[in-house]
Amino acid sequence: MAEKMTGAQIMCEALVREGVEVMFGMPGGAIMPFYYAMYDYRDKLRHILCRHEQGAGHAAEGYARVTGTVGVCVATSGPGATNLVTPIADAWMDSTPIVAITGQVSSAVIGKDAFQETDITGITMPVTKHSYLVKNIEELPTVFKEAFYIASTGRPGPVLIDITKDAQQARTVPNWDVKITLPGYKPTLQGNRKQIMTAVKLLAEAKKPLIMAGNGIIMADATEELRSFAERTGIPVITTLHGIGAFPEDHPLSIGMPGMHGWVHVNRAIQECDVLFNIGARFDDRVTGKVSTFAPNARIIHVDIDPSEIGKNVKTEVPIVGDARMVLMAMLEEMPQRDTTEWMHKIREMQSHHQHRQQYLVREAGTEDILMPHDVYAALTRIMNERGKYRVATDVGQHQMWAAQLIDWYRPRTHITSGGAGTMGFALPAALGAAVACPDETIWVIVGDGGFQMTNQELATIVQEGITNIKVAIVNNGYLGMVRQWQELFEDRRYSHTLLTGPDFAQLARAYGVCGITVEQRGEVEAAIEAAYAHNGPVVIDFRVEREVNVFPMVPQGKSIGDMLTEQPEPTATA
Amino acid sequence: MRKHTLVALMQDRPGVLTRAVSMFRRRGFNIESLAVGHTETPGVSRMTLVVESETVEQVVKQLYRLIEVLKVSDVTFDPTVEREMALVKVHATSTTRSEIVSLAQIFDAKIVDVGTSSLIVEMTGAPGKVENFLEVIRPFGIKEMMRTGRIAMVRGSRTHQASDYIDVEENGHIAAALN
Ligand SMILES: Cc1ncc(C[n+]2csc(CCOP(=O)(O)OP(=O)(O)O)c2C)c(N)n1
Ligand SMILES: [Mg+2]
């Protein structure tokens, strides 16, 4: 029984004990002992070889985002590890639980600029929830246990384990009888009773209350509780970019997304509400616009599991530190029923006045045949709903905002995007992780022609792994569209380095062994999407859309969310 | 504007100081003074820091996000003993030497080195007192100076003991194993 194991075997065993089934990575010198050991664990631990460590990191994020469990990525020291920095930073900004495992040069040469030595714990310190540099094999069982615990509890986030090559090669009889002793880490789950009662009272007496639901609802699995709470109180619900899916958009109390590219009536509702009940969103500047003018009439209740988020950006009257689900459950018990018909009516009136999604469907005469980006979303949302069981990974840019605006979102963990960091290149590898986690569902990737060119090499990974449930929709406008939009609106149309040529994406897909389809006509959109479903394998559809279309409505950066641009401003005389 | 004095207890793990300092820098916290050292408990460090008051709440909360941080207390409004220390190499000639010595005596400072043209004075005291001493000594010509950060302790029986937050023995074992 008491057999010696190598550090690398202990790492594998620790992963199995943590319930890990799959990891994403790439081998190299300093992590080779781990890969050596992994070979014997291939029945228990699936390893997916990515084409770039950034892809491995985002895949781990995608996996974590759809499962709610910890995603795992692996890289070697030096450049392997630094390639993980972007996904680690992305996971940090979006509170995604991942554990990144990196090999490190042997302890004897650490600090001597050895081949492929990089101080990765140092480099990632500002963007990790915690990190470990393990030089001693005896620490491995404790470190793995702690790392998974820290990554997945409280406010989730990335944890890095950097392990020297000699620690992987050493041998010992592992002691698995470890308990977690982290006296400085005790997340508060139950909200403070007094604050909860204050919040209940505020909401009960409010004339124009509003619920803002964020990622915290999804991470705490609190969607049912949110629904009960909204239905009991009749309070309308807005869902932030990461709150999408926390509340079904076809619910009569759902009013939509706030913020820079949120809807006018939602931002107006924020400006008008008298109590704003934020659960699990962090008042990001893309949501608040100019903070000093944000929600000027509102008394603010903020529920967050991370105390440091409360009061950080917006002055808060009732802070409640706790788990979204537990706090909602506690509040639900105390909350009286109430009537919000008048307020709801007012919001719906604003909504109809500002046309909401309809404006995108208005076509000027003579433009009916042009392939607009919105045609893609309209067809996609219709067909996805018909087929059911879908999730969507979006990248960063105009196509991302259109996806948030124009697709109907109903279920948690179905909208996977890079919000806090806004990482181009996120979508395809994140979809890879999601596809592995949900083999029975169709994972759509909505990506720009710019972002696709950052990580499209993961198509090779998808093919090699025999993954069939990924369908890619490139909203190809031949521009770094979102940047071009800012240049058009705020920089006198100086299109400085935003014009982008790409390869023929359908041909590129074919070169990878993936089905490629090009769509140039409005009338071909639906057939292409149906064809993608019909094909039993990954598909890339290159939608060559109208090139200079802008995302509206929009709050210009640094402006109040009360002042939205709702349509193309008249060109200035000088332009 | 009032400055705040914070006392933080943290497990002495690799990188914990870097983590704290890197966090202060990237969040733009203006840390006026920082001192770190061992405590009564092996494996637990204690940090005293002085910060601007508008950021104090965020400094406390961000410190708590670090896994190793056990307790952060704002002792600004508590009765405390606060100390700083300065080593000052003062220009001293045969004519000024005795004057410097007597000034040092008044301030309870110690002469710890005597050279042909200089003295090293060790001044320990409350922050204001150190400041006053430097003020009066400056005209003689300060050649070199090194000041420490402030350390603070609450008076009376109230304590900031690591043993209130951790299992002392266990922490000692872990700390020893890590070294
Ligand atoms: C890695 C990275 N680099 C740069 C940016 C800045 N950026 C934000 S949106 C955008 C344009 C994206 O273009 P594309 O992928 O074609 O999407 P579109 O906006 O055209 O839909 C750029 C360059 C970013 N978010 N991420
Ligand atoms: Mg584009």
Side-chain angles (χ1 to χ4, degrees):
Chain A
M1 178 60 217
E3 242 184 87
K4 282 196 171 178
M5 293 173 82
T6 64
Q9 285 170 325
I10 296 172
M11 289 159 69
C12 293
E13 188 60 36
L15 290 174
V16 171
R17 285 169 183 255
E18 290 301 326
V20 173
E21 288 169 4
V22 54
M23 51 194 165
F24 306 86
M26 170 157 318
I31 194 77
M32 277 183 69
F34 180 45
Y35 276 82
Y36 182 91
M38 214 188 273
Y39 198 73
D40 293 327
Y41 278 83
R42 58 190 183 278
D43 295 339
K44 291 186 207 156
L45 286 172
R46 179 175 177 193
H47 176 276
I48 291 178
L49 173 66
C50 291
R51 294 301 180 272
H52 188 295
E53 290 84 353
Q54 183 188 355
H58 291 320
E61 286 188 274
Y63 184 90
R65 290 276 287 278
V66 300
T67 60
T69 63
V70 178
V72 180
C73 53
V74 187
T76 190
S77 65
T82 56
N83 277 347
L84 281 181
V85 172
T86 298
I88 289 173
D90 192 87
W92 168 252
M93 291 300 280
D94 285 346
S95 309
T96 308
I98 62 168
V99 166
I101 300 169
T102 50
Q104 182 54 278
V105 299
S106 282
S107 54
V109 293
I110 278 195
K112 303 207 162 67
D113 303 316
F115 176 65
Q116 291 193 331
E117 179 185 357
T118 301
D119 173 14
I120 195 63
T121 47
I123 289 173
T124 57
M125 199 165 272
V127 290
T128 44
K129 187 169 172 187
H130 200 55
S131 58
Y132 299 88
L133 168 57
V134 183
K135 301 182 207 171
N136 176 354
I137 183 173
E138 306 296 342
E139 291 172 29
L140 284 170
T142 317
V143 164
F144 271 75
K145 196 161 188 172
E146 282 186 11
F148 278 80
Y149 176 69
I150 292 172
S152 59
T153 52
R155 178 182 187 174
V159 176
L160 173 82
I161 313 177
D162 194 28
I163 306 161
T164 61
K165 192 168 184 178
D166 53 322
Q168 297 171 52
Q169 288 166 324
R171 287 172 178 278
T172 192
V173 178
N175 174 17
W176 295 110
D177 183 24
V178 287
K179 60 177 199 314
I180 293 175
T181 42
L182 296 166
Y185 178 70
K186 297 205 174 75
T188 307
L189 301 178
Q190 220 83 45
N192 176 290
R193 189 80 209 150
K194 208 174 120 233
Q195 300 289 13
I196 283 178
M197 294 313 291
T198 315
V200 165
K201 187 157 179 289
L202 266 188
L203 284 168
E205 288 167 6
K207 296 231 157 33
K208 299 172 177 177
L210 203 54
I211 295 172
M212 178 186 275
N215 202 3
I217 295 280
I218 294 170
M219 288 190 293
D221 286 326
T223 46
E224 281 309 312
E225 288 72 15
L226 174 63
R227 198 188 168 117
S228 312
F229 190 88
E231 286 171 357
R232 157 81 60 90
T233 58
I235 303 176
V237 180
I238 65 183
T239 37
T240 65
L241 182 68
H242 272 320
I244 282 178
F247 197 70
E249 289 190 349
D250 56 351
H251 194 284
L253 289 169
S254 167
I255 63 169
M257 185 173 77
M260 181 175 272
H261 290 295
W263 301 114
V264 175
H265 67 275
V266 179
N267 283 344
R268 293 267 170 92
I270 293 176
Q271 295 306 76
E272 216 181 301
C273 72
D274 56 0
V275 175
L276 181 59
F277 179 30
N278 173 354
I279 325 163
R282 61 185 176 84
F283 287 126
D284 180 84
D285 53 271
R286 286 289 192 266
V287 164
T288 61
K290 189 176 173 190
V291 183
S292 58
T293 62
F294 176 76
N297 306 311
R299 303 170 76 174
I300 289 173
I301 306 165
H302 189 175
V303 181
D304 205 298
I305 197 153
D306 179 355
S308 77
E309 285 302 346
I310 302 180
K312 186 181 78 179
N313 297 343
V314 167
K315 211 164 162 281
T316 301
E317 184 168 328
V318 189
I320 304 179
V321 178
D323 171 85
R325 187 158 163 266
M326 294 194 181
V327 173
L328 275 175
M329 273 163 44
M331 286 180 69
L332 196 56
E333 273 176 29
E334 307 294 340
M335 203 61 207
Q337 289 193 337
R338 40 158 310 154
D339 178 33
T340 52
T341 329
E342 207 177 310
W343 170 227
M344 207 54 216
H345 181 73
K346 177 138 201 224
I347 294 173
R348 291 300 180 204
E349 212 173 63
M350 285 195 274
Q351 180 170 0
S352 62
H353 182 67
H354 289 285
Q355 298 185 351
H356 193 41
R357 294 179 191 185
Q358 311 312 323
Q359 69 181 61
Y360 283 117
L361 302 175
V362 176
R363 303 290 280 250
E364 280 169 31
T367 66
E368 292 91 346
D369 294 336
I370 294 174
L371 175 55
M372 295 291 278
H374 329 309
D375 299 324
V376 176
Y377 294 94
L380 204 53
T381 203
R382 188 180 68 66
I383 298 172
M384 282 193 309
N385 276 308
E386 233 167 66
R387 302 259 178 173
K389 284 202 165 183
Y390 61 87
R391 294 175 200 258
V392 183
T394 65
D395 215 71
V396 174
Q398 293 184 307
H399 64 277
Q400 174 193 33
M401 292 297 114
W402 282 317
Q405 291 180 333
L406 302 175
I407 291 175
D408 295 328
W409 303 102
Y410 306 114
R411 294 182 298 137
R413 303 190 183 282
T414 56
H415 172 254
I416 301 132
T417 199
S418 167
T423 307
M424 281 170 74
F426 171 84
L428 183 66
L432 161 63
V436 169
C438 311
D440 303 330
E441 301 188 24
T442 302
I443 314 296
W444 276 95
V445 175
I446 298 181
V447 61
D449 46 320
F452 186 65
Q453 291 186 68
M454 287 199 175
T455 50
N456 68 54
Q457 71 281 352
E458 299 308 334
L459 284 176
T461 310
I462 290 165
V463 171
Q464 181 173 356
E465 289 294 322
I467 293 165
T468 56
N469 54 333
I470 292 184
K471 317 286 173 183
V472 181
I474 305 176
V475 181
N476 182 357
N477 50 16
Y479 277 113
L480 296 169
M482 187 55 95
V483 181
R484 187 207 55 75
Q485 171 168 346
W486 286 42
Q487 290 172 336
E488 178 183 346
L489 297 179
F490 314 116
E491 297 184 348
D492 299 328
R493 289 175 189 257
R494 286 161 61 103
Y495 287 177
S496 180
H497 301 280
T498 42
L499 178 68
L500 185 74
T501 63
D504 179 328
F505 291 119
Q507 275 201 54
L508 178 72
R510 282 177 219 127
Y512 279 113
V514 169
C515 168
I517 303 172
T518 307
V519 174
E520 285 175 305
Q521 306 291 324
R522 192 181 181 197
E524 301 165 359
V525 174
E526 301 218 335
I529 295 169
E530 295 290 2
Y533 270 104
H535 178 71
N536 180 30
V539 177
V540 171
I541 313 177
D542 178 6
F543 290 104
R544 306 220 175 137
V545 298
E546 179 66 10
R547 300 191 55 207
E548 298 191 26
V549 185
N550 291 334
V551 184
F552 289 114
M554 175 178 197
V555 181
Q557 168 138 313
K559 291 275 170 26
S560 163
I561 60 166
D563 307 327
M564 292 197 87
L565 290 178
T566 51
E567 55 182 10
Q568 195 75 14
E570 293 295 316
T572 49
T574 51
Chain B
M1 181 190 20
R2 174 135 210 163
K3 300 265 164 38
H4 281 242
T5 306
L6 302 180
V7 169
L9 292 172
M10 49 193 69
Q11 285 179 293
D12 194 2
R13 297 280 188 272
V16 58
L17 185 59
T18 326
R19 253 184 252 282
V21 172
S22 138
M23 184 272 287
F24 297 149
R25 180 194 55 77
R26 75 173 187 277
R27 296 212 178 256
F29 294 147
N30 206 344
I31 306 295
E32 188 172 286
S33 159
L34 176 76
V36 195
H38 294 303
T39 61
E40 73 287 349
T41 307
V44 175
S45 296
R46 177 163 167 150
M47 184 185 271
T48 306
L49 47 151
V50 180
V51 298
E52 301 273 351
S53 62
E54 324 92 270
T55 50
V56 67
E57 188 187 327
Q58 268 295 310
V59 174
V60 172
K61 286 175 166 179
Q62 294 295 344
L63 271 171
Y64 270 125
R65 283 182 86 181
L66 305 181
I67 306 290
E68 300 92 340
V69 170
L70 302 168
K71 179 71 187 170
V72 186
S73 317
D74 185 344
V75 300
T76 314
F77 302 103
D78 296 324
T80 50
V81 178
E82 298 197 351
R83 287 293 176 270
E84 278 175 19
M85 179 173 160
L87 285 178
V88 199
K89 189 176 282 182
V90 198
H91 182 69
T93 62
S94 50
T95 47
T96 59
R97 186 172 292 141
S98 60
E99 201 181 337
I100 296 170
V101 171
S102 59
L103 277 173
Q105 268 168 359
I106 296 172
F107 278 88
D108 267 340
K110 273 191 232 147
I111 308 295
V112 288
D113 180 70
V114 181
T116 49
S117 62
S118 66
L119 294 169
I120 298 180
V121 189
E122 175 197 319
M123 171 68 206
T124 304
K129 199 171 158 196
V130 174
E131 200 55 55
N132 288 346
F133 175 69
L134 291 173
E135 205 59 28
V136 299
I137 214 81
R138 193 160 282 130
F140 296 94
I142 295 178
K143 294 175 148 186
E144 238 183 86
M145 179 178 80
M146 169 74 209
R147 285 177 78 166
T148 64
R150 188 178 308 178
I151 60 175
M153 196 172 278
V154 174
R155 292 175 189 273
S157 51
R158 235 186 81 207
T159 56
H160 292 94
Q161 265 176 308
S163 56
D164 292 342
Y165 310 103
I166 54 161
D167 180 331
V168 172
E169 201 176 325
E170 188 171 24
N171 192 60
H173 289 318
I174 299 173
L178 285 173
N179 287 329

